[in-house]
Amino acid sequence: MTTSEPLIVLEGVNKYFGPLHVLQDVSLSVDRGEVVVVIGPSGSGKSTLCRAINRLEPISGGSITFDGQPLPAEGKALARLRSEVGMVFQSFNLFAHKTILQNVMLGPIKVRGEKSAAVRERAMSLLERVGIAAQAEKYPAQLSGGQQQRVAIARALAMQPKALLFDEPTSALDPEMVGEVLDVMTSLAREGMTMVVVTHEMGFARAAADRVVFMADGQLVEQAAPAEFFASPKSDRAKDFLSKILTH
Amino acid sequence: MDVFSDSANIDTYVTGFLWILKLTAAATVGALVLGVLLAGMRVSPIPVLRGFGTAWVNTFRNTPLTLIVFFCYFGLYSALSLELSDDIDTNNYWLGVIGLSVYTAAFVCEAIRSGINTVPVGQAEAARAIGMSFIQTLTLIVLPQAGRAVVAPLGSIFIALAKNATIVGTIGLMESSSAMKELINANGDAVFPIFFVFAGTFAIFLIPTGYAFGWLANRLAVKR
């Protein structure tokens, strides 16, 4: 599935929150069509890494390129880049004053200037795909967390992005709703979507990832194919982390 | 109630409240437009605009409205010869609208800004993440939610505006308070009836307005 052509390249990325050094010389390359799962303990900088890729979090040093272009600092160029990189948040962040259908249609119409009729058709088929078509006229607050997160994925897909970023997409969900969201993500991964997924779902990492990246204390400690990583982690930090989560 | 059986007096009374109605209507539109623009400036990433918004609010919120209306008359009209109409009443009316609008806009701005603070950061982040510009994020996502959150306080501001409109009487417009003064001057024996009719008219219009805003606030509230 991987075509060995880097789409996202981070080189020597550093990020400080005041005195806190949250990303320390992180270098990572994600190929087109690759699914990279980022795992690690809380506070390891994995969410910041994810948010840095579409510059929701500006970096303090190093470089990030997307599709061969360095990340624009601001303005129209940055907006255009963001429109090509979908993002799914931990807290869904559906537009609370818009219906489900409007949430999905807003980006293509307002950002891309596409025709409403064509967008509606695409939006409905995306909602169909994530299993929410029947709720299209409802408001976000009327949906369960799992449903909202599936709409958020549809909203990101409506922009026909080159890559999708997931920032702990299932961490705010009730346990019984995690599966429905992971199912959608797994099917996207199978279809060749380039994905960077920050998550604690080891099952998803095993099943859908091409590569697992382990972060701790702001550093990218090790990366490997999931089977290899889970069977024989090399670093002590990763061994320690896995022993804590996999023994239950 | 002999005072109000005289048709000339009725005319004074009605004309006075019609001025108040027109002043309130025009200044509400002016204050709302200006206030939303100022709120947008105060949260914008451009320091000059932020400074302008802050300066506006600090200036007009802390200057008595009477002084602002005086300035519109003596400053804009007399000194700077800003003439808005050949008809002196219409001219004073528009000067009053300017004064009321710039003053009330400061309060509208601050109400909207407090509304913006009720909108979770994630809403703006999600908007930026799908490629919206600052203006789009503000006008499509943040302001509509902020506005809905502050319908009730905006209602109070506009009710205050309707009463503040009487201050335009100080620059010669025969609005309701000037009309009341004139009637009292001519009918010294009927001070209380005149006073209660004028005060009561404000109450009859403004009490339902308050309830209407309360109802609207509930209806428009964004469910989270």
Side-chain angles (χ1 to χ4, degrees):
Chain A
M1 207 169 291
T2 306
T3 55
S4 301
E5 182 188 341
L7 181 65
I8 306 167
V9 181
L10 293 83
E11 265 172 65
V13 170
N14 280 285
K15 167 77 186 176
Y16 295 87
F17 284 125
L20 209 62
H21 198 172
V22 287
L23 292 179
Q24 304 175 16
D25 265 326
V26 174
S27 295
L28 175 69
S29 169
V30 180
D31 288 345
R32 219 174 279 275
E34 194 179 16
V35 177
V36 171
V37 169
V38 184
I39 63 172
S42 296
S44 59
K46 51 196 195 306
S47 275
T48 309
L49 177 83
C50 186
R51 292 162 56 85
I53 295 173
N54 68 355
R55 218 181 147 79
L56 279 181
E57 215 63 83
I59 55 175
S60 317
S63 76
I64 301 178
T65 58
F66 182 82
D67 207 6
Q69 304 287 326
L71 236 55
E74 55 189 50
K76 284 209 177 82
L78 178 59
R80 194 173 313 118
L81 170 117
R82 284 178 176 151
S83 75
E84 292 177 349
V85 185
M87 177 128 191
V88 176
F89 299 86
Q90 180 176 352
S91 48
F92 330 134
N93 296 345
L94 293 181
F95 304 131
H97 63 308
K98 301 276 184 193
T99 64
I100 297 310
L101 184 60
Q102 287 169 337
N103 263 275
V104 180
M105 291 175 64
L106 201 61
I109 290 175
K110 297 295 181 183
V111 175
R112 292 264 166 78
E114 292 182 53
K115 290 264 185 306
S116 169
V119 175
R120 177 180 297 268
E121 208 168 298
R122 188 164 86 231
M124 281 311 295
S125 75
L126 283 169
L127 287 175
E128 194 82 51
R129 163 173 190 173
V130 299
I132 318 279
Q135 331 262 12
E137 299 305 324
K138 289 189 178 168
Y139 284 87
Q142 295 170 281
L143 268 55
S144 72
Q147 290 173 326
Q148 287 191 54
Q149 195 60 301
R150 284 184 279 152
V151 174
I153 294 174
R155 176 175 69 179
L157 288 173
M159 297 299 289
Q160 298 172 317
K162 292 177 181 164
L164 278 181
L165 309 174
F166 293 83
D167 184 6
E168 301 204 23
T170 56
S171 299
L173 295 175
D174 291 338
E176 76 271 25
M177 290 167 187
V178 170
E180 63 195 55
V181 172
L182 291 180
D183 284 346
V184 173
M185 290 167 60
T186 307
S187 83
L188 283 172
R190 294 228 170 86
E191 284 166 27
M193 175 59 81
T194 309
M195 293 162 66
V196 175
V197 185
V198 173
T199 187
H200 295 292
E201 299 296 335
M202 299 304 146
F204 174 78
R206 270 182 214 276
D210 295 311
R211 182 157 43 120
V212 173
V213 168
F214 176 74
M215 287 187 73
D217 304 319
Q219 289 166 333
L220 202 160
V221 179
E222 68 173 282
Q223 43 183 320
E228 185 189 337
F229 175 79
F230 288 111
S232 52
K234 291 186 190 69
S235 64
D236 290 341
R237 283 298 266 126
K239 279 177 198 158
D240 179 54
F241 178 74
L242 288 178
S243 74
K244 279 174 184 151
I245 56 165
L246 295 179
T247 47
H248 297 287
Chain B
M1 299 284 274
D2 291 345
V3 188
F4 291 102
S5 48
D6 183 335
S7 71
N9 289 351
I10 293 283
D11 194 46
T12 306
Y13 163 83
V14 170
T15 311
F17 273 100
L18 279 180
W19 278 125
I20 293 294
L21 205 63
K22 285 191 222 168
L23 283 166
T24 307
T28 297
V29 174
L32 202 56
V33 171
L34 271 173
V36 170
L37 280 174
L38 287 167
M41 288 181 190
R42 291 205 72 173
V43 298
S44 84
I46 303 165
V48 179
L49 291 182
R50 278 207 304 275
F52 179 82
T54 310
W56 183 297
V57 168
N58 283 335
T59 306
F60 291 108
R61 195 171 58 171
N62 298 303
T63 308
L65 177 58
T66 321
L67 265 62
I68 293 171
V69 171
F70 273 158
F71 178 83
C72 288
Y73 186 81
F74 294 109
L76 296 182
Y77 172 61
S78 301
L80 298 174
S81 316
L82 175 72
E83 212 173 311
L84 298 163
S85 169
D86 293 337
D87 176 48
I88 184 70
D89 277 344
T90 312
N91 187 56
N92 289 349
Y93 162 75
W94 282 114
L95 289 171
V97 168
I98 292 175
L100 287 167
S101 297
V102 299
Y103 173 80
T104 310
F107 293 89
V108 170
C109 166
E110 289 306 274
I112 302 262
R113 206 160 63 98
S114 78
I116 288 174
N117 290 334
T118 70
V119 180
V121 183
Q123 295 283 307
E125 279 192 344
R128 283 154 65 206
I130 56 172
M132 285 193 192
S133 64
F134 170 76
I135 296 285
Q136 285 179 322
T137 303
L138 191 68
T139 56
L140 297 172
I141 306 301
V142 177
L143 280 179
Q145 295 186 49
R148 287 153 185 253
V150 294
V151 171
L154 282 179
S156 298
I157 290 171
F158 294 133
I159 286 172
L161 168 62
K163 298 179 296 171
N164 289 341
T166 55
I167 286 178
V168 182
T170 57
I171 59 170
L173 192 70
M174 273 303 276
E175 48 63 55
S176 62
S177 72
S178 303
M180 182 177 94
K181 206 165 82 182
E182 186 173 281
L183 292 187
I184 287 177
N185 282 339
N187 305 276
D189 55 336
V191 171
F192 287 107
I194 294 171
F195 177 80
F196 286 122
V197 166
F198 276 87
T201 307
F202 271 106
I204 285 167
F205 278 102
L206 294 182
I207 290 170
T209 306
Y211 281 105
F213 273 103
W215 175 79
L216 212 59
N218 274 332
R219 225 190 111 89
L220 295 177
V222 178
K223 309 271 185 301
R224 295 195 193 280

